[in-house]
Amino acid sequence: MTLPFSSIVPGKPRSVQSGLLFSFDTEDGYPQVRTGQTLTYATAAASRGTCVDATGRVKLQTQSQPRLHHEYDATTGLWLPAGLVLEGTRTNSWLWSRDLSNVAWVKTNVTISTDTTKGPDSDFTTASKMQETATATVEHLVSQTLPALTAATKQCVSFTAKYSRPWCFVKTVNKANVTRRSWVDLSTGAVGTKDSGHQITVHKLADGWWRIYCQWDSGTGATTPTAAVGIATADNTFSYTGAVGSGIYVTDLQFETDQAVPSAIIPTTSTTASRQTDTCSSTFDWGLGDLTVYVKLPRPLWLDWTTNLVNSKIVFKLSSGNPRLWLFFYPLGSQIQYLQLTDAVPNYSQWAPFVPSGTPLEYCCQVRNLSTGGSVQLDTGSGFGGWSAPTINPITAWGDNVVRFDDGTAGSLLGSLQVVRIAAGLRTMAQMRGYR
């Protein structure tokens, strides 16, 4: 759908400030754009995505409606605006993600009570409780058959859990028959003992729920990989005698095949379910004068890229044809480090760094002398680092007149886009922040 955004929030378009060419801003909790500017946001037919709303609840958004995400702020105790979620196509391969009583789930020394407490998405009692049996000295867990996994490839397991027993754990077995377990304290959300082959991340939701993510490598070998979620009585404990009725609340179990970075919740029932790529763009009509681009990304977030940065997570595109200006992530300190005005793209390899909660990431990029051989310089918070060498050929026109903020063709980001501003002339970070 096409969104002038004043139609969504009447009276909230940005005024046309001097020199401001383009503005996209969600810092106040709703999308705002420069007066007269139109932004196009879309997902494919029959695709619905989820996000976390201002109450900390999981919200299933209607098709092609912007997913405005919120993250918990420990200082204020509130879920604060974190921007527009933009993700690539993903599939949840686990069936009946919200009903562990279904036969698709293999129950090992546990029983399932359905609809025992309100879920993370509503006030209704829709979440299941996984309860221990009294079997002695065993694991208590649920699992489901995995699809075929590519060898030596990153995989993602995620689930939402709530305290009853104090601890839960995630267990994976890879193709080399290596078993790994990692624990999470459901009373605090703290990660306990963690296997070195796991990357564990925890996000706080409302009503005592935690969203838990585990990233791991499928390895190589003849063993059929497995993944499971289990109950624990303490950190680094998985085998014990169960107490009938004790357990944890769990829902929204998700397995994303051959993916290095997890994505937002995708509910399933009797079949797998997919969420299609989000796209977001706007046309522009300014020429080749000097300009400054400001981008702000809230934390936490994950980043993933392939070996070729053209197919990596593109945060911002000014034109897709040549010439073009692209800002994207590069594997040095989880920062935007590379800006492209030509086709010369270096190759790098890195997977799924996690940028934890903290001060939002900000980037200010100056672009000059496009008509005589453009160059760029970037400020990531400590001042501009110096101008790049000019491009070989003068630029006579942009490759196309479209600004894009989307997932690109292969890379992925679990996070959200908060602010993008473009202004005429060469401006500082402080000046670009000041446009409101």
Side-chain angles (χ1 to χ4, degrees), residues 303-322:
L303 305 164
D304 176 34
W305 43 78
T306 60
T307 55
N308 190 313
L309 289 183
V310 167
N311 293 327
S312 297
K313 176 57 201 177
I314 306 297
V315 177
F316 167 81
K317 293 182 183 180
L318 185 58
S319 173
S320 286
N322 286 320

Side-chain angles (χ1 to χ4, degrees), residues 121-401:
D121 61 339
S122 71
D123 289 321
F124 302 101
T125 53
T126 57
S128 299
K129 186 177 183 182
M130 180 168 63
Q131 301 174 115
E132 306 157 355
T133 65
T135 312
T137 320
V138 292
E139 291 182 298
H140 306 267
L141 49 80
V142 294
S143 62
Q144 191 173 140
T145 302
L146 299 182
L149 308 182
T150 303
T153 303
K154 305 305 177 188
Q155 311 294 331
C156 291
V157 175
S158 56
F159 59 98
T160 307
K162 182 176 179 177
Y163 175 90
S164 182
R165 276 292 195 187
W167 290 83
C168 71
F169 69 94
V170 57
K171 174 184 177 181
T172 62
V173 180
N174 68 8
K175 289 176 176 283
N177 200 28
V178 176
T179 299
R180 305 183 187 278
R181 296 180 182 86
S182 297
W183 282 259
V184 174
D185 184 343
L186 294 179
S187 63
T188 65
V191 177
T193 301
K194 184 184 75 67
D195 189 281
S196 60
H198 282 170
Q199 179 170 305
I200 303 294
T201 311
V202 183
H203 282 193
K204 183 180 178 64
L205 301 174
D207 303 319
W209 288 98
W210 305 93
R211 186 67 180 167
I212 299 167
Y213 305 89
C214 175
Q215 297 158 268
W216 56 289
D217 195 290
S218 57
T220 58
T223 300
T224 300
T226 61
V229 175
I231 310 167
T233 56
D235 186 21
N236 204 22
T237 298
F238 61 88
S239 181
Y240 60 93
T241 301
V244 175
S246 295
I248 62 173
Y249 300 101
V250 63
T251 188
D252 289 322
L253 290 90
Q254 187 157 310
F255 188 85
E256 298 175 77
T257 306
D258 294 349
Q259 296 290 345
V261 174
S263 71
I265 293 169
I266 305 172
T268 64
T269 53
S270 59
T271 61
T272 63
S274 297
R275 181 198 58 249
Q276 302 304 311
T277 298
D278 303 307
T279 62
C280 189
S281 64
S282 180
T283 58
F284 67 88
D285 58 3
W286 59 83
L288 297 176
D290 295 348
L291 58 86
T292 304
V293 178
Y294 171 80
V295 177
K296 184 176 183 180
L297 298 171
R299 294 163 53 179
L301 54 83
W302 284 274
L303 305 164
D304 176 34
W305 43 78
T306 60
T307 55
N308 190 313
L309 289 183
V310 167
N311 293 327
S312 297
K313 176 57 201 177
I314 306 297
V315 177
F316 167 81
K317 293 182 183 180
L318 185 58
S319 173
S320 286
N322 286 320
R324 60 198 179 193
L325 171 67
W326 287 7
L327 279 70
F328 49 84
F329 281 87
Y330 170 96
L332 286 177
S334 301
Q335 301 287 311
I336 294 178
Q337 298 284 351
Y338 189 81
L339 300 112
Q340 179 189 345
L341 278 168
T342 71
D343 272 333
V345 181
N347 289 329
Y348 295 92
S349 180
Q350 183 79 8
W351 79 278
F354 174 62
V355 184
S357 298
T359 303
L361 305 178
E362 293 182 284
Y363 309 95
C364 184
C365 169
Q366 294 181 341
V367 185
R368 71 178 183 184
N369 301 334
L370 291 173
S371 60
T372 59
S375 59
V376 298
Q377 66 171 343
L378 181 67
D379 179 1
T380 62
S382 56
F384 287 102
W387 290 99
S388 67
T391 57
I392 297 174
N393 298 313
I395 294 173
T396 58
W398 291 104
D400 64 27
N401 284 31

Side-chain angles (χ1 to χ4, degrees), residues 36-74:
Q37 173 188 314
T38 298
L39 196 70
T40 299
Y41 174 93
T43 54
S47 180
R48 301 175 68 188
T50 57
C51 59
V52 176
D53 67 15
T55 68
R57 303 285 179 81
V58 176
K59 181 179 181 181
L60 181 62
Q61 192 64 286
T62 57
Q63 181 196 340
S64 290
Q65 285 291 323
R67 289 188 285 152
L68 299 176
H69 185 64
H70 296 74
E71 285 286 346
Y72 182 74
D73 179 71

